[in-house]
């Protein structure tokens, strides 16, 4: 190994020179003038303190030493001398920017693709700063004609006061432009750490978390249709109302029919603030799009067939009103996001109805009690309801397009809706009243409230006449009259009712006499009056002892001793299931009548597994029979083949005999011919 190779590189100093460590190694190193090559002398380096080598090394120290080295050497010299150039009130840099920053470690959040402006205000203790970045992102610096900015590496910069001021150790030498402004940017999600280190002050960091830009989410955004009964356009339930209103007259002062509340949400579930909400309408309606939650009055100058509004708070409203024409209007709500991409958020329909053109009647009860007004409002009133909250007959009005008609139409100022009986000795009718969620005020002879009122729905009274016999029948026709109570506008198809008496007998049965294992089973209770006809409709407790089953039924759903609704002479319970194996089942109970009669019904259960096994056995037997038949046929075929072969052999023998006879005859003929020739 050459002596050059024996010199440790660890003891080499900058610019290729060696310090006292090199001299201690007893090696002498010499460079050429271009400082590109070194030669090693065999002689020992000088040992004295002020040798020519030592002097030469100091003399040839690089004149290209950076400002940083000068400042560092000066600082070390001052420290060794027991002095400090830093004032007792010296401060480090102040970091400010977006978001607002204070001295010390700071965190921030930003969206990829955006710039964050930051700045450094020089402190009084530093003459230069190193600004470095790591992680994702980059840092971009502006120009500064007063101070010096130079790249120290690919990821850091040195910001200083200039050559003349370096090493002073006093912020007072920074000029009035002692602020460095720069921007942080990243196109990639992740964390960026920006470190600001002063020449003497401690490092400070800015940690920026870069995340993907928020995107509009149609799946998370909502458009909810609200009717005008809401105090404002907001709907806490978050579900659409059914909006069906009278077409009115266009639009002269008409209050809007409904409002669509639009809430925009981003893919991060936060409110989306960069969207524009637009709406268009097809059909008989006018719309207005704005950011006002309350309902809007008509003729405010903005109603039309479509417009839009920016939604900087992530909320907008589409107001809807009649155009004065009956029919269904369809409103399409769209959103344009921050990237100018437009998509449909929702479509909603609003119905505007015309005058009544038809009516349909539906019977809720079937068998009525003679002498009872089956429509009274409370149990204490004469002729209390036989079935709670159930009017005997409902009617529904529609316009010419088949849409349900809104509004109260049984007043003297508009139309009269009345139930008319075909036989006044069996049934009587009366005026119908709008079905509402609360009881209708008395005065029309009907005060029953509907628990599920809908637009254009009416409850109609039907009464069984006193002394009307059990089993007698009559029909009710619901007729719409003009306000003169004479001119007919529309009539329904007739609905039949029967008169029945009190419950005199109870029986139970099932909806079938045989079930496949595990299939649903319905239990039916029938109630008849003393005449054997269906008892009148009522809430009735059928059993004093609840039904039981000889085998446990699936779900084990059987009635209790509570009261159940009896309509048309029957009540049906569902939810039970047959056992999962073959068996016979008996259901037993005791009725609630005075005699406490025992009740029972039976049914059988067959197992599909057993049925499948038997079917497999039958199929196997049939296959065996088929195989035997095939064997017999094969044997018969073999016998026939043997017989044919024997017949062929016999035919061959006979042919051979015939050939021999012919040959013999030919021989004899030849001999005779020879004799004749001789003669």
């Amino acid at each position: 190994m050459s002596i050059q190779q024996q010199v440790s590189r660890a003891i080499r100093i900058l610019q290729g020179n060696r310090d006292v460590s090199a001299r201690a190694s007893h090696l002498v190193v010499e460079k050429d003038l271009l400082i590109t090559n070194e030669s090693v002398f065999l002689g020992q380096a000088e040992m004295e303190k002020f040798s020519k080598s030592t002097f030469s090394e100091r003399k040839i120290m690089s004149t290209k030493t950076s400002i940083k080295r000068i400042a560092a050497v000066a600082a070390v010299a001052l420290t060794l001398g027991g002095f400090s150039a830093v004032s007792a009130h010296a401060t480090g840099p102040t970091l400010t920017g977006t978001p607002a920053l204070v001295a010390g470690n700071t965190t921030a959040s930003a969206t990829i693709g955006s710039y964050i402006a930051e700045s450094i205000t020089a402190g009084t203790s530093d003459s230069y700063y190193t600004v470095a970045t790591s992680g994702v992102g980059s840092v971009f610096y502006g120009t500064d004609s007063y101070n010096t900015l130079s790249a120290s590496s690919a990821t850091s910069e040195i910001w200083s006061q200039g050559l003349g001021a370096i090493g002073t150790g006093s912020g007072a030498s920074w000029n009035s432009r002692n602020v460095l402004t720069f921007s942080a940017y990243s196109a990639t999600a992740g964390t960026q750490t920006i470190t600001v280190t002063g020449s003497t002050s401690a490092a400070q960091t800015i940690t920026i978390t870069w995340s993907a830009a928020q995107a509009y989410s149609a799946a998370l955004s909502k458009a909810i249709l609200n009717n005008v009964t809401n105090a404002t356009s907001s709907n806490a339930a978050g579900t659409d109302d059914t909006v069906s209103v009278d077409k009115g007259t266009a639009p002269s002062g008409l209050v809007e029919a409904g409002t669509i509340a639009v809430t925009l949400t981003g893919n991060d579930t936060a409110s989306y603030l960069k969207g524009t909400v637009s709406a268009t309408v097809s059909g008989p309606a006018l719309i207005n799009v704005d950011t006002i939650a309350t309902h809007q009055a008509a003729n405010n100058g903005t109603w039309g067939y479509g417009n839009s509004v920016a939604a900087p708070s992530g909320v907008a409203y589409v107001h809807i009103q009649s155009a004065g024409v009956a029919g269904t209007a369809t409103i399409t709500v769209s959103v344009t996001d921050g990237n100018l991409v437009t998509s449909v958020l929702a479509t909603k329909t609003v119905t505007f109805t015309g005058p009544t053109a038809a009516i349909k009647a539906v019977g809720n009860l079937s068998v009525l009690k003679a002498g009872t007004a089956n429509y009274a409002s409370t149990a204490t009133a004469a002729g209390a309801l036989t079935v709670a909250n159930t009017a005997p007959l409902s009617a529904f009005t529609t316009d010419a397009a088949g849409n349900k008609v809104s509004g109260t139409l049984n007043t003297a100022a508009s139309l009269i809706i009345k139930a008319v009986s075909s036989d006044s000795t069996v049934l009587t009718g009366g005026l119908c009243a709008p079905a509402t969620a609360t009881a209708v005020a008395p005065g029309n002879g009907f005060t029953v409230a509907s628990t599920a009122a809908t637009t254009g729905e009416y409850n109609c009274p039907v009464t069984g006449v006193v002394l009307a016999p059990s089993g007698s029948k009559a029909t009710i026709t619901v007729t719409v009259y003009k306000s003169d109570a004479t001119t007919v506008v529309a009539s329904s198809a007739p609905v039949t009712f029967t008169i029945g008496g009190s419950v005199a007998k109870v029986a139970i049965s099932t909806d079938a006499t045989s079930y496949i294992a595990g299939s649903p089973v319905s239990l039916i209770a029938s109630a008849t009056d003393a005449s054997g006809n269906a008892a009148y409709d009522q809430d009735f407790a059928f059993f004093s002892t609840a039904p039981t089953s000889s085998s446990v039924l699936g779900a084990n759903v059987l009635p209790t001793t509570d009261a159940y609704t009896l309509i048309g002479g029957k009540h049906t319970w569902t939810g039970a299931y047959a056992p999962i194996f073959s068996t016979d089942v008996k259901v037993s109970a005791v009725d609630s009548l005075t005699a406490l009669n025992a009740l029972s019904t039976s049914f059988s259960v067959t197992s599909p597994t057993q049925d499948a096994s038997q079917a497999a056995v039958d199929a196997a037997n049939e296959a065996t029979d088929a195989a035997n038949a095939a064997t017999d046929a094969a044997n018969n075929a073999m016998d026939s083949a043997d017989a044919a072969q024997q017949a062929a052999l016999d035919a061959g023998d006979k042919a051979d005999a015939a050939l021999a006879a012919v040959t013999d005859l030919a021989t004899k003929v030849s001999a005779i011919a020879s004799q004749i020739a001789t003669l």
Side-chain angles (χ1 to χ4, degrees):
M1 181 180 296
S2 66
I3 189 167
Q4 291 94 335
Q5 292 174 315
Q6 294 178 18
V7 179
S8 172
R9 294 184 180 181
I11 62 175
R12 295 185 181 184
I13 64 172
L14 293 175
Q15 307 299 332
N17 294 309
R18 298 181 178 84
D19 58 6
V20 69
S21 298
R23 293 191 299 276
S25 66
H26 298 276
L27 294 176
V28 180
V29 180
E30 187 177 74
K31 294 184 179 179
D32 62 10
L33 294 178
L34 297 178
I35 318 178
T36 56
N37 298 300
E38 294 178 343
S39 59
V40 180
F41 294 92
L42 296 178
Q44 181 176 348
E46 293 90 344
M47 295 298 294
E48 64 272 16
K49 183 175 183 180
F50 299 102
S51 67
K52 62 180 181 179
S53 296
T54 304
F55 176 78
S56 176
E57 288 172 0
R58 290 199 305 271
K59 186 175 182 64
I60 66 173
M61 178 174 283
S62 174
T63 59
K64 299 180 181 180
T65 304
S66 68
I67 297 174
K68 291 189 297 182
R69 178 178 296 177
I70 297 173
V73 172
V76 171
L78 289 172
T79 301
L80 292 175
F83 297 98
S84 174
V86 180
S87 168
H89 300 287
T91 61
T94 301
L95 309 183
T96 57
T98 306
L101 303 177
V102 296
N105 294 342
T106 303
T107 60
S109 297
T111 301
I112 61 173
S114 62
Y115 290 84
I116 295 182
E118 310 290 358
S119 63
I120 306 171
T121 301
T124 61
S125 62
D126 301 303
S127 56
Y128 69 90
Y129 295 99
T130 302
V131 184
T133 181
S134 61
V136 301
S138 304
V139 175
F140 299 93
Y141 303 91
T143 59
D144 189 339
S145 59
Y146 292 89
N147 299 300
T148 302
L149 183 68
S150 61
S152 62
S153 73
T155 58
S156 67
E157 295 280 340
I158 298 294
W159 176 47
S160 63
Q161 299 163 274
L163 292 175
I166 293 298
T168 63
S170 173
S173 61
W174 288 92
N175 57 56
S176 59
R177 293 288 300 276
N178 64 342
V179 178
L180 175 66
T181 299
F182 60 92
S183 296
Y185 172 87
S186 180
T188 305
T191 301
Q192 179 181 16
T193 301
I194 301 173
T195 304
V196 179
T197 307
S199 59
T200 60
S201 63
Q204 298 182 43
T205 61
I206 303 171
T207 302
I208 304 173
T209 301
W210 295 95
S211 58
Q214 182 193 43
Y216 164 70
S217 172
L220 298 178
S221 299
K222 294 181 179 180
I224 305 299
L225 177 62
N226 299 267
N227 59 37
V228 294
T229 60
N230 294 323
T232 66
S233 300
S234 60
N235 189 330
T239 57
D240 288 332
D241 291 329
T242 297
V243 178
S244 181
V245 298
D246 193 289
K247 66 182 181 64
T249 56
S252 82
L254 191 68
V255 176
E256 67 180 78
T259 304
I260 303 173
V262 181
T263 304
L264 305 184
T265 304
N267 59 343
D268 56 357
T269 71
S271 294
Y272 187 77
L273 311 180
K274 301 178 182 179
T276 296
V277 177
S278 60
T280 58
V281 60
S282 63
L286 300 173
I287 61 174
N288 175 32
V289 185
D290 58 27
T291 56
I292 303 173
T294 55
H295 296 300
Q296 303 296 297
N299 293 330
N300 63 1
T302 57
W303 294 99
Y305 296 102
N307 59 3
S308 62
V309 67
S313 62
V315 178
Y317 301 91
V318 181
H319 307 277
I320 308 163
Q321 75 170 18
S322 171
V325 180
T328 299
T330 300
I331 298 92
T332 301
V333 180
S334 301
V335 176
T336 301
D337 64 17
N339 296 319
L340 302 182
V341 176
T342 300
S343 59
V344 174
L345 175 60
T347 57
K348 308 293 181 180
T349 58
V350 175
T351 302
F352 299 95
T353 60
T356 296
I359 189 166
K360 178 182 179 180
V362 177
N364 302 315
L365 301 181
S366 176
V367 182
L368 305 183
K369 182 179 180 180
T372 298
N374 295 272
Y375 57 87
S377 61
T378 66
T380 59
L385 283 172
T386 56
V387 178
N389 296 319
T390 304
L393 186 67
S394 295
F396 302 89
T397 55
T398 55
D399 62 10
N403 297 313
K404 294 178 180 179
V405 176
S406 62
T408 302
L409 302 180
N410 65 331
T411 64
S414 53
L415 300 176
I416 297 174
I417 300 178
K418 187 177 181 180
V420 181
S421 173
S422 64
D423 188 344
S424 59
T425 64
V426 178
L427 301 174
T428 59
L431 293 174
C432 301
T436 62
T438 58
V440 177
N444 57 5
F446 185 62
T447 55
V448 171
S450 170
T451 57
T454 59
T455 299
E457 179 183 355
Y458 298 84
N459 289 332
C460 300
V462 182
T463 304
V465 175
V466 176
L467 300 181
S470 171
S472 58
K473 298 181 179 181
T475 61
I476 293 290
T477 301
V478 181
T479 303
V480 181
Y481 299 91
K482 288 188 176 181
S483 58
D484 60 10
T486 301
T487 305
V488 175
V489 175
S491 295
S492 73
V495 178
T496 301
F497 292 91
T498 303
I499 299 298
S502 301
V503 176
K505 182 180 179 180
V506 173
I508 59 174
S509 62
T510 53
D511 58 340
T513 58
S514 178
Y515 298 92
I516 299 298
S519 59
V521 176
S522 295
L523 181 65
I524 303 169
S526 302
T528 54
D529 61 14
S531 300
N533 299 311
Y536 67 81
D537 298 344
Q538 59 189 288
D539 293 322
F540 183 71
F542 293 90
F543 310 109
S544 61
T545 300
T548 58
S549 174
S550 60
S551 295
V552 177
L553 303 180
N556 200 29
V557 178
L558 289 173
T560 66
T561 57
D562 295 333
Y564 296 92
T565 301
L566 172 66
I567 295 180
K570 291 183 179 181
H571 184 90
T572 301
W573 292 270
T574 59
Y577 295 86
I580 59 174
F581 49 86
S582 296
T583 186
D584 292 327
V585 179
K586 181 178 181 181
V587 178
S588 303
V590 177
D591 68 23
S592 61
L593 303 177
T594 304
L596 299 178
N597 302 298
L599 308 174
S600 67
T601 185
S602 299
F603 59 87
S604 61
V605 179
T606 57
S607 171
T609 302
Q610 293 177 345
D611 293 342
S613 299
Q614 185 59 48
V617 172
D618 294 341
N621 291 335
E622 292 176 359
T624 300
D625 294 341
N628 292 334
T631 300
D632 293 341
N635 292 333
N636 293 335
M638 291 181 64
D639 293 342
S640 297
D642 292 341
Q645 183 179 14
Q646 186 62 46
L649 293 175
D650 293 342
D653 293 341
K654 292 179 180 180
D656 292 340
L659 179 61
V662 170
T663 302
D664 180 66
L665 177 61
T667 301
K668 290 179 179 182
V669 168
S670 178
I672 293 173
S674 298
Q675 292 176 1
I676 292 174
T678 301
L679 293 176

